[in-house]
Amino acid sequence: MKLNLFVAWVGYGLVLIAILMVALALVAAGSGHEAGALASAVAVIVALALAVGMVAGTIRRDRRKHLDTPHIF
């Protein structure tokens, strides 16, 4: 149960970071900073991949151990 709560909050945090990085990428691209826009876009992809991977891994672990998967969202 503690792992599920930890993963849920970290997942929320990573999605929030991804949203902020999208805004940063748009501002950087609009002001002509291609390197900043590219770095922000990579950060978005990494943050979302980590969030999805953590949540999917936790759900898979719960199912493999025949635990009730709590509603973490």
Side-chain angles (χ1 to χ4, degrees), residues 4-73:
N4 291 340
L5 288 174
F6 173 74
V7 168
W9 283 107
V10 171
Y12 288 142
L14 287 169
V15 169
L16 179 62
I17 289 170
I19 291 169
L20 293 173
M21 286 294 118
V22 167
L24 184 62
L26 291 173
V27 169
S31 63
H33 295 91
E34 293 86 12
L38 182 62
S40 297
V42 169
V44 168
I45 293 168
V46 169
L48 289 178
L50 280 173
V52 169
M54 288 177 66
V55 171
T58 302
I59 291 172
R60 182 175 180 213
R61 177 191 149 276
D62 287 346
R63 288 185 181 164
R64 191 173 357 128
K65 291 188 175 190
H66 303 290
L67 300 172
D68 267 346
T69 303
H71 302 286
I72 57 177
F73 292 110

